[in-house]
Amino acid sequence: MLWVATTLIAAVAQTGRNAAQAGLTGRIGTAGATAVRFIFGLPFALIALAVAAAVTTLPMPDGTVLRWAVTGAIAQMLATGFLLLAMQGRGFGVATALSKTEPVTLALIGALLLAEPLGWSRIAAITIAVAGVLLVSGADWSRLGRRSVFQGVAAGALFGLAAIGFRGAILALPEGGFFLRALTALALSLAIQTVLALIWLILFDRAALGGILREWRVSLAAGALGALASLFWFSGFALTSAANVRTLALIEVPLAQVISGRVFRQSVSARQWAGMGLIVLGVAWLLLAVVG
């Protein structure tokens, strides 16, 4: 059950990173805010990898690991962009909730690509938790624009594909404990993402690159929180199926609501409280299913 602890730590760190990135979007644009988590996260991952290399032998990635890592890296970059666009259009809490339809698509993709078993109990737990997410969003679905729905759901689907790619890379590494393999896969993925982000910004959005440098303090904080969150996400992926990790991670939604209330001054309705109750129920059911 170590994956439970790693997932909860990751969820807390990611909520802080999302809040920092959401604030950057209006100042440096979606592309710049998306790139921050990779460009400023990579140095922290490389420092941790260097420390690990000083005391043990690192697993060497092969072509299979690289293919999985590239899949996860690109999918995560696209997912982050869609999430920030949704945040800009519907608010922090709503966008986070829409993106959290991820566990459904993730469970299906995991079953297809990694042969991870589903089971009716896990499917029911995931469904209940995701239903709670939709309630927590607090959105008036009759007035919600199709673009916002598409952006949020697309972010969730792509985050799911990214999680599968990262788990595939971790499992394909030939040796090492779960934490060492997670760290190696993280550093490789962030290096790929940093190169791609810098190429995009240099070619198409140099103003955003300048903005990132001007906002280096917030960018550094977002990068540090992002690297910390990613390391614990990857550790969770090394220990259990990505669907289990990302369903438990729905605890991030109530955390986002707290951020929405305290930082962005958004109130919490009775329907949202009911949704949070469903999330807790679904997560508890998942944990019982996994333990059983």
Side-chain angles (χ1 to χ4, degrees):
M1 297 298 289
L2 183 59
W3 68 273
V4 175
T6 63
T7 300
L8 293 177
I9 293 171
V12 172
Q14 180 162 295
T15 300
R17 188 213 65 209
N18 283 346
Q21 281 186 289
L24 283 171
T25 304
R27 299 196 293 273
I28 63 177
T30 301
T34 300
V36 160
R37 67 179 293 184
F38 312 125
I39 296 173
F40 285 85
L42 178 61
F44 293 99
L46 292 178
I47 290 171
L49 193 65
V51 172
V55 297
T56 188
T57 302
L58 298 178
M60 295 303 296
D62 58 13
T64 301
V65 175
L66 182 60
R67 286 192 293 272
W68 279 116
V70 168
T71 299
I74 294 176
Q76 189 181 53
M77 293 180 78
L78 293 173
T80 303
F82 275 116
L83 177 60
L84 293 176
L85 284 172
M87 284 179 176
Q88 214 170 16
R90 294 303 308 172
F92 183 78
V94 172
T96 300
L98 284 169
S99 71
K100 294 309 175 183
T101 53
E102 167 194 356
V104 175
T105 54
L106 198 158
L108 295 175
I109 295 171
L112 291 173
L113 297 184
L114 296 178
E116 295 175 343
L118 286 176
W120 289 110
S121 184
R122 288 180 66 226
I123 292 174
I126 291 171
T127 302
I128 289 173
V130 171
V133 167
L134 298 180
L135 283 177
V136 168
S137 70
D140 183 349
W141 296 100
S142 64
R143 299 176 57 187
L144 192 61
R146 291 181 181 179
R147 178 178 296 181
S148 296
V149 173
F150 171 78
Q151 290 168 345
V153 174
L158 287 166
F159 275 128
L161 180 59
I164 292 298
F166 295 144
R167 176 163 164 79
I170 292 166
L171 295 179
L173 284 168
E175 58 189 5
F178 79 92
F179 192 80
L180 185 60
R181 287 185 289 123
L183 179 58
T184 302
L186 172 62
L188 176 61
S189 300
L190 283 175
I192 294 168
Q193 290 167 324
T194 297
V195 170
L196 292 176
L198 287 174
I199 290 173
W200 175 271
L201 292 175
I202 290 171
L203 292 178
F204 303 108
D205 200 348
R206 294 189 180 182
L209 187 58
I212 290 174
L213 296 177
R214 287 194 304 273
E215 300 284 347
W216 68 270
R217 290 182 178 84
V218 179
S219 297
L220 189 64
L225 287 170
L228 178 65
S230 294
L231 179 56
F232 281 96
W233 286 135
F234 278 49
S235 297
F237 297 152
L239 292 166
T240 188
S241 75
N244 288 346
V245 171
R246 298 306 291 167
T247 302
L248 177 59
L250 292 178
I251 199 66
E252 180 189 351
V253 176
L255 291 176
Q257 289 300 320
V258 172
I259 296 291
S260 294
R262 293 186 177 275
V263 178
F264 299 106
R265 305 300 180 187
Q266 298 171 358
S267 61
V268 179
S269 67
R271 184 175 69 172
Q272 290 172 306
W273 283 112
M276 283 187 271
L278 286 179
I279 292 172
V280 172
L281 175 61
V283 167
W285 191 344
L286 173 73
L287 293 177
L288 290 174
V290 172
V291 172

